[in-house]
Amino acid sequence: MKPAVFIERDGILNRVRIEGQQQIGPLTLDQFHLNIEVAPLLHELKAAGLVVIVTTNQPGLSRGIQSRRDLDCMHQMIRQAFPINDLLVCPHEDADRCPCRKPKPGLLTEAAYKWGIDLNRSFVVSDKWQDAEAARRAGATSMLVRSPWLGDVHHDFVLPDLPSLIEKLLQLCSPRTLATA
Ligand SMILES: [Zn+2]
């Protein structure tokens, strides 16, 4: 059983629009801009032996406002730009009552089954409370970038930016740290 890092897509791997209190993810390719500076950080996670998996809620699919074709193109670009093992999508909205829409842990448990992942030794990286809650329910460690979207759910670690977050994560999962803990 391997440890993994689950990475939220919107706001971490690609830019989002801020509208009022909300993050709005891109719906079309012209709205889609990768945070390419994140790629070296993901290479470090991969080099540390972690399975790297992207997870994303895309309720626009269920609502009919997100085309599957555009979404597939975006995800092809993500797979080309970043060293990821897999990318899992929840296409549902709340009304669908699916088990995979974060904060539910369905995408994490699905990936755990598919990849032989030990969730208790795994991490979730995000800037939103839904991922922190999914991590808690799945028994993984949540690592959050400080943001207005952290809510009042349980957070294991909150760091000021992504580079310091990844540094902390690598310290936590190094065998030497575990041995001396
Ligand atoms: Zn779902």
Side-chain angles (χ1 to χ4, degrees), residues 5-14 16 23 25 35 38 42 53-58 78 88 102 107 123-132 143-144 162:
V5 55
F6 295 94
I7 299 178
E8 156 68 344
R9 192 198 82 162
D10 291 324
I12 302 291
L13 298 185
N14 58 262
V16 291
Q23 276 193 10
N35 292 330
V38 175
L42 299 197
I53 295 177
V54 179
T55 64
T56 183
N57 284 350
Q58 294 299 327
I78 285 179
L88 300 177
K102 299 180 287 184
L107 294 181
F123 302 88
V124 173
V125 171
S126 179
D127 61 349
K128 288 183 279 297
W129 70 267
Q130 286 89 344
D131 292 281
M143 312 277 306
L144 289 309
L162 201 59

Side-chain angles (χ1 to χ4, degrees), residues 7-122:
I7 299 178
E8 156 68 344
R9 192 198 82 162
D10 291 324
I12 302 291
L13 298 185
N14 58 262
R15 284 187 244 158
V16 291
R17 222 154 32 85
I18 313 297
E19 223 170 69
Q21 303 291 325
Q22 278 202 309
Q23 276 193 10
I24 311 288
L27 287 175
T28 57
L29 284 174
D30 60 301
Q31 295 169 353
F32 187 67
H33 302 285
L34 291 173
N35 292 330
I36 199 67
E37 69 279 7
V38 175
L41 298 174
L42 299 197
H43 277 286
E44 286 187 49
L45 295 174
K46 202 78 180 290
L50 292 155
V51 181
V52 180
I53 295 177
V54 179
T55 64
T56 183
N57 284 350
Q58 294 299 327
L61 287 168
S62 178
R63 291 175 195 145
I65 56 169
Q66 165 76 77
S67 97
R68 172 56 83 171
R69 195 167 159 271
D70 279 4
L71 191 69
D72 286 346
C73 282
M74 292 179 203
H75 292 172
Q76 193 53 40
M77 289 164 72
I78 285 179
R79 286 174 186 276
Q80 280 167 6
F82 302 110
I84 65 168
N85 293 101
D86 209 349
L87 190 160
L88 300 177
V89 178
C90 165
H92 308 107
E93 54 183 332
D94 282 334
D96 295 327
R97 298 183 172 279
C98 69
C100 51
R101 179 165 162 78
K102 299 180 287 184
K104 291 181 183 164
L107 294 181
L108 276 57
T109 50
E110 181 188 336
Y113 179 76
K114 183 172 170 187
W115 288 89
I117 288 165
D118 181 354
L119 289 170
N120 289 307
R121 287 195 296 140
S122 295

Side-chain angles (χ1 to χ4, degrees), residues 41 44 143 162-172:
L41 298 174
E44 286 187 49
M143 312 277 306
L162 201 59
S164 56
L165 185 154
I166 299 299
E167 191 184 335
K168 179 73 184 173
L169 195 162
L170 290 169
Q171 284 170 9
L172 291 169

